Amino acid sequence: MTCTSPQPKPMQIRLPDPFLVSDPARLAALDAFDVLDTPTESGFDDVVRLAMRLCAAPVALVSLVAADRQWFKANVGFPRCETDLESSVCKFALAEPDLLIISDLAADPRTASNPLVTGEPHIRFYAGAPLRLTGGAVVGSLCVIDTVPRPAGLTLEQSDDLRALGRQVVLLLEARRSMARDRAEALEKGEAQASALARAAVSEAQNVSLRISDQRSRFAQEAGGVGTYELAVASSMMQVSTEFCRLYGVPVAPLYSAATFEALVLPEDAGVRSSDASREDGSAVLDIEYRIRRADDGELRWIARRATFMRDESGAVVAMFGTVRDVTERRAVQDALRASEALAQENIQRVQLALAAGAIIGTWNWDIPSDCFTIDEAFAQTFGLDPVLGREGIPLAQIVATVHPDDQAGLSAAITTAILRGGAYAHQYRVRRADGRYYWIEANGRVDRAEDGTPLSFPGVLLDIEERRAAQAALTASESRLRALVTAGAQSVYRMSPDWQEMRQLDGHGFLADTVAPSMRWLDSYIDPADRPEVMAAIEDAIQRKGTFELEHRVRRADGSFGWTLSRAVPLFEEHGEIAEWFGAASDVTPRRTAEARQAALVTVGDQLRDLGSIPDIVHAAAGIVAQVLGATRAGYGLVDAARASVDVPTDWCAPGIASVAGQHDFRDYGSYIEDLRHGAAVLIEDVERDPRTRESAATLLAIGVRALINVPVMERGRLVGIGFIHSDRSRAFSTEELAFVRAVADRVQVAVARVQAEAQQALLNGELSHRLKNTLSMVQGIAGQTLRSVPDQAPVQAFSQRLIALSRAHDVLLQDSWAAAPIHSVVERVLSLQSPLDRFRIVGPNLALSPQATLSLSLLLHELTTNAVKYGALSNEAGTVSVAWWVEDDEERTVVLTWQERGGPPAQVPTRHGFGARLIQIGLVGTREAQLSYTTLGFDAEFRAPSSQVVAS
C-alpha cells in the first residue's frame, strides 16, 4: 500500500459581493450615523494612532465604505481622505466574520490590480477589523497598512489589540449618533412645547381679557342686549355680532369696516371715539359712552362701549375687542333724576348704587330701627312677589325663603357681619326666581350708621351674575385645558407673580415638591445659591422683553437631590398690556444632561489618558472623572490575577473622608462574585447587606465604606485581566447607562495600561538593540583597525571610524523614538559635537521629526561637512563659526531646505580631488543630488533641498 501526504486545502478567498457593498440596510445604517465628511474628532484620531503603534505599521485608517467610495473618519500616514471603491481594500472586510489579513496585496487576486498596489503609495500588507454594529451590519473597518509584505501577518497580541480597537470605534460611532439623536429630540420637543405653550397662552390671554371686559359691562343686561366685536388694527376691519348690527341699525353681516360705525357718531362726540391712530398706539379710551344716529331710522341713541387691547410679545397692539350696549334709557333716567328734586333721599341712594353696579334686577332698602324691608317693582317681579306689599314693607323671612337652602346660613352671617361692622356689603348666593329655577345673584349695599354707631339703614341692589359665574366656570375649564396641555409635555406646571417674587402655585407631579401655599421663598426651596444669578438674569430679561422665559438649569427635586430642568414660562397680560402673571412648565432633562456629562467625561478620559505615562497616573485620572460623573465615593481600576482570585489596585480616587483601597486583595474576602467576573459578567450590587453574594461579607465591605458597588470585568482572549470598580457609601441602584459608562472607561483604561506596558517593553527592547548595535559597530571598527593597521596612510581608516561613530549616534536618536522618527535638533547636535564644541555652531530651525532614512543621510552629510570644516574651513582655527539652518518651503510638494555657512576661517578652495566624502556631500540630503556648493573668500556655503515627504516622518 502506498502512503501519500495529504494535499493542503486551497486558501478560501472571499470575492467582493456587489450587493453587500450596496446593501440598502447596510447603507441606511451608515447614513444613520451622519458621519461622512465631518471634521476630525480626537477619539477616532487616538484610535488610529494607537493601532499604528501597536501593529508597528506606517498607516492606520478608520475607513467607512459608502455606496460609491470609501471615506476615512481618521487616518495617519495616508495622504488622502477618501478613495473610490476600485482602490478600496476595506470593501473585502465587509464579508469577513473576523479580521481580514492579506500578507501580500500584490500576490492576492483580489488586490493585485488595485491602483494603490500597482502605483503610489505601493501598499503591500493589509489587516482590517470589520466595524460590525449591534444589528450585524458592517459599515467599514479599522485597518493598518504597510508598504512591505508581511508573510507572518500580525502577532496574536496585535490581532487582539486591533479587534479591541475596532470595537472602540463602533462604540464611538454609536455614542456619537446617540448624543446627536438626544439633542435633536430635545430640540424638537422643546420647540413643539414652546409653540403649543405660546399659542395656548395667547388664547388664554384673550379669554382673560374678555372676562375682565365682561365684568366691567354690567349695564349690558339692563339695556336689553349686548353686542360684541373684534377689530384688527392692521386692516381696521371688524367682526361684529348680530346684536351689534341691531344696535347701530345696519344690516346683519359678519364683517364691516370701522369707518362705517365711526361715521354714525355725532360730530360733537367724535373726539371721544377711537381712531386708527389711537388704536395703533394704544391711547384709545377703552371705557367710553357716545351718541350715534342709527343707520336705518336716524334715531339718536346713547352707546356704551367697553374694550380691551390684545398685544403681541413685543407689546404692540394687534387687535381691539369688546362690547357695546344701548344705554339711552339709563341716560334718560339719569337726566330725569338730576332734574328732579322731589325724589326722596332713599331713591337717590338707590339710583346711585344701581348706576355704579350694573346688571340690576332690583333694589331694596331696609330701615333697621323699624325693621321695615321695602323693594322696588323690578325686585318683586323677578321673584314673583306682590309689588304693593313690596312698597309697603315685606317680611324679611319671605325674602329669605327664596334663597337656596345651602346658601341661607352664609347669607345670614354676611348680613350680621355688615350690620355689626357698618359700611359696604357684598355677598353672592343663589335665589329662586319667578320661573322656579335658582340663579346666582350678587347683593351690593351699604349699612349707614348714626353718629353713635347705631345702624340706621341698609339700602342695596341685586345684580344678576349668572352669566358672569358661567364665564368664570368657562375660564376655570379653559385654565384646566391649558394646564392639561402643558402637563402633557412637562413634569410640572407653575404660576408666578408679574415680578416673579411670589410663586403662586406649583404642581410638581412628583418631580418637584408641590407648593402648599403661595411662597416668597421659592428660590431657597428649589434653586442652589450658585445657580441663582443665572436664573434671575434670565427672569429679568424676560420681564424687560415681556416675552417667553426659557432656561435650562439645576433644580432641587422632590426627593431632595439636584437634577436638571428645562423651564419655560409665558406672560399673561391684562387689558392694558401689563403682565398679570406668568404661567410656566418645567420638564426633567436630567437623563439627557447626565448622558451628555458621561459623553463629555469619555472625551476627557481619552484626552487625559493619552498624555499619561504611568499606570497609577492613568488609574487615578480615570477614576476621578468616573466618580465625579456618577457621584461615587471611590473609583479605581485593578489588575487581576485570575488564577489566584486576587486583584492588585495600583491607586484609586477617593472622596474626602474615604480611605484608599490601593494594594493587593483577595476577591473571596469581599463576596462570592468572582465567578461572575471570570465569565465576563458585570457585578452590580445595590446594597451589600441585602445581596446574597455579599451578605456574609457585608461587615468587611461596610468597614471600607462600601454599601453599593459596580465591578466591570476587562477580558482579553476570554481571560479576566482587570476590573473597573465604583463604590458608594449609600444604597443606590445603577442604571444600564451608568454600567455602560463604567465599562467604556474601563476599556479605555485597559487600552492605556496596555500602551504603557507596550511602551515599557519597547523601551527595554530598544535599549537592548542599542547595546547590541553599539557592540556590533565597535566590533566592525576594531576589525577595520586591525585589518588596516598596516596601511601607511591611516587617514582613510580614521575617516571610516568617524563615519561609523556618526552612524552610531544617528541610531541612538532613532532608538529613542522606536525607530519611527528622530528629532532633527537631537540628530544635528549629536553629530556636530563629535568633532567640535557646539558653541562653535549657530543652529536654527523648526522642530521636525525625521524619517529613519533621512536621519542616517543627514548624520553622514553633517559628519562630512564638519570633517572638512575642521581640516580646511572655519573650524580649522579658533575664530571661525558655522551656521546650520533649515526650514520648510510651502511650494507644490513642500521642500525641506538645509544650509551650511562657514565664516571666520580661511578662504574656501574648490577641491582638486573628489573622494568618498566629497561625493557624499554632492549626493545631498536623502540622495536627491539637489546640492548647491559655493567656495568664496568668506568661506564655504552649501544648500541642500529634498521633498518633505522623503525627509519628515509621517
Side-chain angles (χ1 to χ4, degrees), residues 644-877:
R644 298 174 54 190
S646 65
V647 59
D648 180 22
V649 179
T651 186
D652 55 8
W653 180 93
C654 301
I658 302 297
S660 171
V661 294
Q664 192 82 18
H665 299 271
D666 291 334
F667 277 106
R668 300 196 186 280
D669 291 342
Y670 302 98
S672 58
Y673 50 82
I674 179 60
E675 295 305 323
D676 294 336
L677 295 173
R678 281 175 172 167
H679 289 88
V683 175
L684 285 79
I685 296 179
E686 298 180 8
D687 193 320
V688 296
E689 290 186 309
R690 295 199 303 266
D691 195 288
R693 294 170 293 181
T694 55
R695 188 182 297 125
E696 295 182 0
S697 307
T700 303
L701 288 164
L702 292 173
I704 59 174
V706 180
R707 170 71 68 175
L709 63 87
I710 296 180
N711 277 358
V712 175
V714 177
M715 313 295 289
E716 282 189 0
R717 297 187 295 278
R719 184 170 58 89
L720 178 64
V721 297
I723 61 166
F725 62 85
I726 296 294
H727 293 164
S728 175
D729 60 358
R730 60 184 178 85
S731 177
R732 61 174 290 182
F734 296 99
S735 66
T736 55
E737 290 80 7
E738 290 173 327
L739 174 61
F741 172 65
V742 177
R743 190 186 297 277
V745 174
D747 286 342
R748 284 163 170 76
V749 171
Q750 178 62 16
V751 170
V753 169
R755 171 180 60 79
V756 171
Q757 292 173 335
E759 289 174 351
Q761 184 180 12
Q762 186 64 49
L764 181 63
L765 292 175
N766 285 346
E768 180 64 20
L769 181 60
S770 176
H771 178 69
R772 297 193 179 196
L773 182 60
K774 285 182 178 179
N775 288 343
T776 301
L777 291 175
S778 297
M779 187 180 297
V780 171
Q781 187 176 4
I783 292 172
Q786 289 294 324
T787 303
L788 303 175
R789 64 182 178 180
S790 60
V791 175
D793 186 3
Q794 285 292 310
V797 177
Q798 294 176 358
F800 175 71
S801 297
Q802 290 295 324
R803 288 174 184 135
L804 284 178
I805 294 173
L807 285 175
S808 176
R809 293 294 179 92
H811 281 86
D812 282 344
V813 176
L814 283 170
L815 285 170
Q816 289 179 355
D817 203 19
S818 303
W819 200 259
I824 189 170
H825 278 279
S826 297
V827 174
V828 172
E829 291 175 357
R830 288 201 177 201
V831 174
L832 296 181
S833 64
L834 284 173
Q835 302 183 63
S836 183
L838 286 178
D839 58 7
R840 302 288 300 274
F841 296 91
R842 182 175 179 269
I843 303 171
V844 180
N847 291 326
L848 297 178
L850 300 178
S851 67
Q853 178 187 1
T855 300
L856 300 178
S857 173
L858 178 63
S859 299
L860 292 175
L861 178 63
L862 291 176
H863 172 73
E864 296 303 328
L865 291 170
T866 307
T867 299
N868 289 343
V870 170
K871 289 182 178 180
Y872 316 112
L875 300 181
S876 63
N877 60 30

Side-chain angles (χ1 to χ4, degrees), residues 409-477:
L411 174 61
S412 176
I415 292 174
T416 301
T417 300
I419 293 174
L420 294 175
R421 184 189 65 241
Y425 159 83
H427 188 64
Q428 296 181 5
Y429 53 94
R430 289 165 292 178
V431 296
R432 186 179 64 250
R433 298 175 65 167
D435 60 4
R437 295 174 54 196
Y438 283 99
Y439 294 83
W440 279 96
I441 66 169
E442 180 179 306
N444 280 270
R446 184 181 65 251
V447 176
D448 293 329
R449 293 165 167 262
E451 292 184 1
D452 61 359
T454 301
L456 298 178
S457 64
F458 192 169
V461 296
L462 292 181
L463 308 178
D464 185 347
I465 61 170
E466 183 68 23
E467 289 192 13
R468 175 158 45 113
R469 294 283 296 205
Q472 288 176 342
L475 179 59
T476 301

Side-chain angles (χ1 to χ4, degrees), residues 47 50-51 54 98-99 129-131 142 156-172 714-717 747-748 750-751 754:
V47 169
L50 191 54
L54 292 174
D98 194 9
L99 298 181
L131 300 180
L142 168 66
L156 289 177
E157 290 78 7
Q158 290 173 331
S159 297
D160 285 340
D161 291 341
L162 193 59
R163 292 188 189 94
L165 290 175
R167 292 192 295 271
Q168 291 302 311
V169 172
V170 172
L171 286 176
L172 286 172
V714 177
M715 313 295 289
E716 282 189 0
R717 297 187 295 278
D747 286 342
R748 284 163 170 76
Q750 178 62 16
V751 170

